Amino acid sequence: MIEIRFEEEHDARMMYEHLLKGAETAHESMSVLLEESTVVVHIPPGDVWCADEVLIPAIIRFITDVKEEKWILSILEQAFLYRDQDERMQILHIVHSLLDGKLQDIPYKGLQKERRSLLEASLAEFVQNPISFSFDSYVKFRLRYYMAYLVRLTELAIDEYKLEQEYQSFVEMLRQHVYTRKSRLSCLHLVYNGSFTFYDERGACLNQERLVQYIDEGIVYNQESYIDPNVIAPLLSIAPKTIYLYTAHIDNNMIITIRNVFQERVIVHTIGEFEKMMGRQVRKQ
């Protein structure tokens, strides 16, 4: 018999439900009972499979599904002094993105695998049949490495959050510049297929020499933030009313920034549509 005691009846019920789902695969060899704030698991003596394949995975799912978010939010408030709930939730969202590997250009891979390894190590030699233990005591004495991992994970998420805040401030600064600047061309065609190529409203290619003539040096040298001189600086200097953007790579970081800065001024097309447009221009000539 394995007995797990909880301080809160809600936690006991959540653990009970997680174990019930696992017990379905164990058929009659395993039974789970809920007695107020205590979960009792009956496993036949010597049945290693139930412990390794059902009980331990269920406890891990309970921790990651039920407890982990609360612990991270507590770390944010107590260790890093984030009192604002909206900020904490934004950082928590970044934590999930880190674990899911959804953030681009982030060198921190394998975070989910490390999390599971730490939890498995905390349970492997501890959960034996029979045993009776308090979940809070297990957390205090067996999850020290996992808790340190959560702190490190939270730090990574905070770093990403701060970078995102800086990026949003940077984008807003560029937007204000675009809104207050007179357009030097009514429209611009911008093609990205590994590199950026500029074309004016007549379809004439704007080489680097011509682009430099448009660039306002004050944009490049008098701003607090670095402004890309090859793409962003010309676009800001020209401030076209419409940017026809032709690409198959809408998730490119520079393209994301262009769309964020110029917003409704940007109209996205495929490379094929640019080729058709150029074909029409040739026939007109």
Side-chain angles (χ1 to χ4, degrees):
M1 181 182 74
I2 297 171
E3 186 179 85
I4 310 173
R5 302 184 304 279
F6 291 87
E7 292 293 325
E8 302 288 339
E9 288 190 14
H10 171 74
D11 284 345
R13 174 162 291 281
M14 293 302 293
M15 175 67 87
Y16 170 73
E17 291 176 358
H18 277 72
L19 283 165
L20 275 184
K21 292 178 183 177
E24 292 174 358
T25 63
H27 305 294
E28 297 179 359
S29 60
M30 175 180 172
S31 63
V32 185
L33 301 174
L34 177 63
E35 300 175 355
E36 295 182 350
S37 59
T38 300
V39 176
V40 180
V41 183
H42 291 280
I43 298 176
D47 192 335
V48 178
W49 185 88
C50 277
D52 292 347
E53 302 299 326
V54 179
L55 178 59
I56 289 177
I59 296 174
I60 291 174
R61 286 195 302 273
F62 167 76
I63 291 172
T64 57
D65 294 351
V66 178
K67 304 300 292 184
E68 189 172 77
E69 281 194 1
K70 296 177 182 178
W71 290 338
I72 291 171
L73 291 172
S74 177
I75 290 168
L76 281 168
E77 185 171 3
Q78 301 300 323
F80 296 102
L81 305 180
Y82 279 89
R83 309 297 190 196
D84 184 81
Q85 183 177 0
D86 287 340
E87 278 194 308
R88 291 200 304 271
M89 296 309 295
Q90 288 180 56
I91 297 170
L92 181 62
H93 177 73
I94 294 173
V95 168
H96 289 311
S97 296
L98 285 169
L99 287 170
D100 294 340
K102 292 180 179 178
L103 292 183
Q104 295 183 0
D105 303 324
I106 301 299
Y108 314 111
K109 303 300 181 183
L111 290 170
Q112 193 172 70
K113 185 177 180 181
E114 182 182 357
R115 171 177 63 168
R116 186 168 186 87
S117 296
L118 288 168
L119 290 172
E120 286 177 344
S122 74
L123 292 162
E125 297 180 3
F126 175 67
V127 176
Q128 303 290 333
N129 187 17
I131 189 174
S132 176
F133 65 94
S134 159
F135 182 78
D136 283 2
S137 296
Y138 158 73
V139 171
K140 182 177 181 180
F141 296 109
R142 301 288 301 181
L143 287 186
R144 284 174 293 179
Y145 292 120
Y146 168 73
M147 289 300 181
Y149 160 85
L150 287 187
V151 171
R152 181 162 58 89
L153 182 63
T154 304
E155 287 177 325
L156 293 176
I158 289 172
D159 289 343
E160 291 302 316
Y161 173 72
K162 289 179 178 177
L163 286 174
E164 178 62 22
Q165 294 298 105
E166 292 173 6
Y167 173 75
Q168 292 301 333
S169 297
F170 170 71
V171 166
E172 183 58 32
M173 176 191 72
L174 298 186
R175 282 176 186 164
Q176 293 305 316
H177 179 87
V178 169
Y179 293 149
T180 57
R181 190 172 181 86
K182 184 178 179 180
S183 296
R184 299 178 69 180
L185 290 176
S186 61
C187 77
L188 195 68
H189 298 274
L190 184 61
V191 179
Y192 177 74
N193 196 13
S195 61
F196 287 92
T197 308
F198 290 73
Y199 297 84
D200 65 16
E201 59 264 42
R202 297 188 305 272
C205 181
L206 299 174
N207 57 28
Q208 197 62 36
E209 184 178 345
R210 289 190 61 189
L211 286 175
V212 168
Q213 295 173 3
Y214 282 110
I215 292 177
D216 180 351
E217 291 188 359
I219 292 176
V220 179
Y221 298 112
N222 293 336
Q223 298 288 350
E224 295 181 1
S225 301
Y226 169 78
I227 303 235
D228 173 77
N230 298 316
V231 180
I232 297 297
L235 287 174
L236 291 175
S237 300
I238 297 170
K241 293 180 180 178
T242 305
I243 299 173
Y244 295 102
L245 177 59
Y246 304 88
T247 185
H249 308 280
I250 59 173
D251 56 347
N252 174 272
N253 287 337
M254 184 66 75
I255 287 175
I256 291 171
T257 296
I258 292 170
R259 297 181 72 183
N260 284 338
V261 171
F262 290 89
Q263 296 178 300
E264 70 279 356
R265 297 190 186 199
V266 179
I267 301 174
V268 179
H269 296 283
T270 65
I271 296 290
E273 289 175 288
F274 173 75
E275 293 170 350
K276 290 179 182 178
M277 185 272 292
M278 291 300 290
R280 288 193 296 269
Q281 293 285 4
V282 170
R283 286 194 294 273
K284 287 179 182 179
Q285 296 173 4

